Amino acid sequence: MSARLEIHCVPPMISSIDKIEEEALQGLGQMTDKAALEQWRIAWLGSKGRLKSLMADMKTCPPEDRPAYGQRMNALKKSLEAAFKAHRADDVAPAGPPLDVTEPGLPAGLGRQHILSRTIEEIIDVFSRMGFTVAEGPEVENEWYNFEALNMPEAHPAREPSDNFFLEGGGMLRTQTSTVQIRVMENSPPPLRIISPGRVYRPDTHDATHYSMFHQVEGLCVDRGVTLVDLKATLFHFARTFFGPKADLRMRPSFFPFTEPSAEVDMRMPVRGKMQWVELGGCGMVDPNVFKAVGYDPEEWTGFAFGLGIERIAMRKYGIPDIRWLFENDARFLRQF
Ligand code: FA5
């Protein structure tokens, strides 16, 4: 076929196109920067380039040779375009200055402590100056520590499945840090004075002051002759050291199965622009049944306990109107503190 074309066709003949292709590809191989590559593209593939003029030569072929010539031209075009593309992607150095591998990288954004972690440290700081040490307990608990030993027998309404995260195969996520009171008293003889900050879990609906995972700080003081005055003085001293001497607090009678008498501690704080009493936590004098559960003699030992919501404390101190903001992980909010 090509022999026949060589006879009829005016140059370039099909056989010479192989040479032309070779020449083009060799030239491409020598282009080592972007500008040279572009020149090659214009010379070969551009609107006034060699390929175009070779195509125009088709006119000079006798009509019966034109299909074969056209096919060869198409193959040439495809081959040059593909080679150009591959060469541009692989071999040619990018435009601009060469890569300086010794240049220092961009600094990674420095993180910072979450405002709740800082609040916990600040709370520990105040209570440790009052002689409290920090105790820890597990977040996955059993019902003895979360209820039973805290004077909440089987039928107690707080043990309803709808109010707790019970785990398949037994156990539960603790709903309060009061569990640590029991763990500490089981393991150490009185007198003692501990606080225990940590996470707790409740299936509560999320709103501006409630979340399903939040933090509490438990306090427990056991000694001879401890009274409600010691409890009130401790809590008020904490609040006024932590928030400032004008911190506005109140205690109102309440009920907890593990303290008798019991009270709620409220603090005045702005909620959606209005000053309101917001409950910080519960407290009271340790119930004799709790002492019995851990083997302390309730005739000899007295004590107070409290459990405060740490989010509520952070919200008051740092003017955060919505608890949900603490857990959304929006860096624009968190980096303010
Ligand atoms: C208790 O959990 C008792 N264990 C406190 C206690 C300890 C009483 C020792 C007596 C002696 P209460 O359920 O009220 O109590 O919760 C204590 C505090 O946790 C609340 O006052 C509030 O500040 C915070 N809190 C409770 N539920 C939520 C929630 N869903 N989201 C955020 N904070 C909460």
Side-chain angles (χ1 to χ4, degrees), residues 151-152 156 252-264 282-283 287:
N151 206 22
M152 284 187 257
H156 196 278
R252 67 195 148 81
S254 186
F255 173 79
F256 293 99
F258 36 92
T259 46
E260 181 59 35
S262 305
E264 309 278 358
C283 61
D287 192 289

Side-chain angles (χ1 to χ4, degrees), residues 221-260:
C221 167
V222 181
D223 210 329
R224 294 186 179 89
V226 177
T227 70
L228 198 66
V229 175
D230 299 310
L231 169 60
K232 186 174 176 187
T234 303
L235 286 177
F236 279 51
H237 180 74
F238 160 72
R240 292 190 175 137
T241 311
F242 192 85
F243 295 107
K246 291 202 180 122
D248 205 0
L249 250 72
R250 73 176 183 193
M251 280 168 85
R252 67 195 148 81
S254 186
F255 173 79
F256 293 99
F258 36 92
T259 46
E260 181 59 35

Side-chain angles (χ1 to χ4, degrees), residues 176 178 202 204 210-211 214 216 218 279-282 307 309 312:
Q176 49 185 350
S178 301
R202 292 180 192 179
D204 286 354
H210 292 85
Y211 215 76
F214 59 99
Q216 290 186 336
E218 193 76 10
E279 183 191 309
L280 282 188
R312 306 271 176 93

